[in-house]
Amino acid sequence: MKKIISFIFFAGIFYGCSSSDSATTAPPDTFYRGMDLSFQHELSGYGVLYRNATGNPEPLLDQVQASGANLVRLKLWHTPDGGLNGLNAVKAYALELKQHGLSLLLDIHYSDTWADPAHQTPPAAWQSLTTEALRESVYQYTKNVVTALEIQGTPPAFVQIGNETDSGFLWNYGKVWDDFDDNWGNLAAIIAKAAQAIREASPSAKIILHHSNVENARYYFEELQPYAIDFDVIGLSYYPQFQTKNLTTVQTSLNALAQNFDKDVMIVETAYPFTFGYDDNLTNYIGDASQIVPTYPATPAGQKAFLDKLTEILKNVPDRKGIGWVYWAPDWVAFPGNEATSTTGSAWENQALWNFDHVVLPAINAFQP
């Protein structure tokens, strides 16, 4: 039997005409129900089939579109091995999103690999730069990638500056943990250059700053507040196994963030199990009742009810500042691969939105407007 472990998982795959004719522009009062499909470039190479409610194979994005989802989040790495999550991959998938009428949330990690509070390694190409050169590189790179999406007619609705940047990012230039707790000015200057580039390249895009924890994010935005950074949305991760299981606390925290900083709030990463079982030999991130909200069991119905409750919570944020949520890796089902075993590998299959037969689960209906 697979050993289940619990540890802090800071998740973060992927991937033409002018922006004025883009099919991905949404009204300003849109409530977003999204999916992070950043694994698709990799999974599609294994021929993974996703089945609709009747059990028949159907292209993933056709099912996503039919579900009522209106946003897809894709992470971008600077110079990744094999091109996974690189700009060309993001651009290619963005074209597919446009064909399905789905808006894009571009999640720029500013790294060649995963970035999260414990890992914020600058791209190899930037690691010997001076502070000023680093800031200029952030500006030019950000402007180039956003411009590239604009040029091909797939402008992002949102651009996220860094991924789960509780500790800062681009260490040690923008690190604010450990011995760098007086480094907030440097972090703010880097973020400001990225924000400037986004405004110049895509004035309609909303800028997101992302913290990994709904209940503990206030300090981060208080530290940045004196620098008057230009951004629009407080992005948050909410995984009950790592954070509060009291949904009243989630509501209170979101309300306070929206009101204290006069920003929209969005949960840009969340997920919930439909079972504690497993479908391969790789350790899962969640596997027992101590890791979930007691009111919502690890069942298909419980998974959907959790997402419905999250929608209710966000819609109850004052002044309509709760603008949506994004489900992280709903497509990361068990698949033949090299994740950690010689057979199959997904650490997430019991939190996917397709079951172990790859048939879509009832939670897909939580994406309906």
Side-chain angles (χ1 to χ4, degrees):
M1 179 176 180
K2 181 192 301 185
K3 179 182 178 183
I4 304 294
I5 63 173
S6 173
F7 62 93
I8 295 180
F9 172 63
F10 299 101
I13 324 186
F14 282 46
Y15 299 105
C17 83
S18 70
S19 62
S20 61
D21 66 351
S22 171
T24 60
T25 301
D29 60 348
T30 298
F31 186 85
Y32 290 93
R33 296 171 175 87
M35 301 186 190
D36 189 314
L37 298 179
S38 294
F39 277 107
Q40 264 309 290
H41 187 224
E42 181 179 2
L43 292 176
S44 62
Y46 289 97
V48 178
L49 295 178
Y50 297 89
R51 302 180 186 277
N52 59 29
T54 65
N56 294 315
E58 183 178 355
L60 178 71
L61 284 182
D62 287 358
Q63 295 187 59
V64 172
Q65 181 182 28
S67 75
N70 54 8
L71 182 69
V72 170
R73 182 175 183 251
L74 302 176
K75 70 172 173 280
L76 175 64
W77 292 344
H78 186 278
T79 310
D81 289 341
L84 288 177
N85 314 314
L87 180 57
N88 288 338
V90 168
K91 288 173 62 181
Y93 208 64
L95 287 171
E96 295 188 47
L97 299 182
K98 178 179 179 179
Q99 292 169 1
H100 288 82
L102 295 162
S103 296
L104 170 64
L105 191 170
L106 179 66
D107 173 15
I108 308 178
H109 280 226
Y110 295 99
S111 182
D112 293 333
T113 186
W114 293 98
D116 57 49
H119 309 89
Q120 295 286 349
T121 305
W126 296 357
Q127 290 182 12
S128 299
L129 298 178
T130 65
T131 298
E132 287 302 318
L134 183 281
R135 293 175 186 172
E136 183 61 22
S137 294
V138 167
Y139 169 79
Q140 293 294 345
Y141 169 69
T142 305
K143 190 165 186 177
N144 288 344
V145 299
V146 176
T147 298
L149 288 163
E150 286 276 343
I151 288 173
Q152 76 166 9
T154 56
F158 300 92
V159 181
Q160 184 179 307
I161 299 176
N163 192 71
E164 294 189 327
T165 57
D166 316 14
S167 59
F169 69 125
L170 291 165
W171 291 357
N172 290 324
Y173 300 98
K175 189 175 185 179
V176 291
W177 274 11
D178 302 326
D179 295 332
F180 293 85
D181 57 2
D182 60 349
N183 205 32
W184 289 93
N186 285 330
L187 173 61
I190 295 170
I191 295 173
K193 294 298 288 185
Q196 177 188 350
I198 295 164
R199 294 297 188 215
E200 292 174 0
S202 184
S204 65
K206 300 295 185 182
I207 297 173
I208 299 175
L209 299 186
H210 181 201
H211 191 279
S212 75
N213 193 305
V214 167
E215 58 189 311
N216 295 327
R218 180 169 176 168
Y219 84 91
Y220 179 84
F221 294 98
E222 285 179 340
E223 290 283 1
L224 290 175
Q225 197 168 29
Y227 301 98
I229 292 172
D230 178 16
F231 76 104
D232 305 291
V233 181
I234 292 175
L236 302 152
S237 298
Y238 176 52
Y239 298 107
Q241 64 265 43
F242 308 132
Q243 300 177 39
T244 181
K245 296 168 184 60
N246 185 330
L247 295 182
T248 300
T249 300
V250 174
Q251 182 79 74
T252 301
S253 298
L254 290 172
N255 294 353
L257 288 166
Q259 293 177 310
N260 292 341
F261 301 103
D262 193 24
K263 301 292 182 184
D264 289 337
V265 293
M266 177 187 285
I267 294 177
V268 297
E269 292 186 23
T270 193
Y272 206 78
F274 65 89
T275 180
F276 291 137
Y278 54 92
D279 194 31
D280 60 26
N281 294 320
L282 184 62
T283 297
N284 281 349
Y285 291 111
I286 188 169
D288 67 67
S290 69
Q291 298 173 291
I292 64 173
V293 180
T295 313
Y296 302 98
T299 63
Q303 184 187 49
K304 179 183 183 299
F306 171 80
L307 292 178
D308 288 339
K309 182 62 176 179
L310 208 56
T311 297
E312 177 187 322
I313 287 170
L314 282 155
K315 287 190 170 184
N316 280 327
V317 174
D319 302 320
R320 303 181 71 177
K321 289 186 177 295
I323 63 171
W325 49 266
V326 177
Y327 199 99
W328 195 82
D331 55 333
W332 194 14
V333 296
F335 68 100
N338 57 3
E339 289 288 329
T341 74
S342 60
T343 54
T344 57
S346 169
W348 206 255
E349 75 270 19
N350 66 333
Q351 296 190 77
L353 294 181
W354 281 262
N355 69 17
F356 294 169
D357 293 320
H358 300 179
V359 175
V360 72
L361 287 156
I364 201 72
N365 295 313
F367 291 82
Q368 288 294 330

